[in-house]
Amino acid sequence: MNWFLKVVKEHYADFNGRARREEYWMFTLFNTIFSIAITVVFTGIGLAIDVPSLAALSYIYTLALIVPSLAVMVRRLHDTGKSGWFFLVSLIPLAGPIWLLVILCTDSQNGENKWGENPKGVGNNAAINEIGRE
């Protein structure tokens, strides 16, 4: 959960730097869980009180998290040594999304690259734990 909060609080629209695999996938996991929960809850409440437009609140959540989702993906691509624009490879039918998934699962590029130091092993977990205590 702290990785999700880190992306939303500290790096909301930060497209610079690098994001390790754990940061990207934990953000994606919790974003998916929250998205499904919000959709189910608000759709259920909307049907129960006969206000079907209440389900549209899930769209507000989705819109609010488009920018941080793109930002963490771009920083993840930077961590593998690719440009942030490489996410457009997902527009290639069939092979593009698979290629992007493989890249997002690839380990960090060792050492420093043009987007900064490797975030792995720099005490990042301690910083994440501090965010959770705030």
Side-chain angles (χ1 to χ4, degrees), residues 33-61:
I33 290 169
F34 294 151
S35 199
I36 291 170
I38 288 170
T39 302
V40 168
V41 167
F42 283 122
T43 301
I45 291 172
L47 291 174
I49 62 174
D50 199 29
V51 181
S53 62
L54 194 60
L57 290 176
S58 64
Y59 294 120
I60 294 170
Y61 174 81

Side-chain angles (χ1 to χ4, degrees), residues 73 77 82-90 99-100 103:
M73 181 188 300
L77 288 169
K82 304 277 189 268
S83 167
W85 290 104
F86 203 79
F87 82 92
L88 294 174
V89 77
S90 64
W99 190 6
L100 184 61
I103 291 168

Side-chain angles (χ1 to χ4, degrees), residues 116-128:
E117 284 289 326
N118 188 346
K120 208 182 251 187
V122 181
N124 205 8
N125 286 334
I128 295 303

Side-chain angles (χ1 to χ4, degrees), residues 7-18:
V7 171
V8 173
K9 283 183 178 179
E10 292 182 18
H11 300 287
Y12 187 86
D14 183 11
F15 291 86
N16 298 317
R18 295 169 68 168

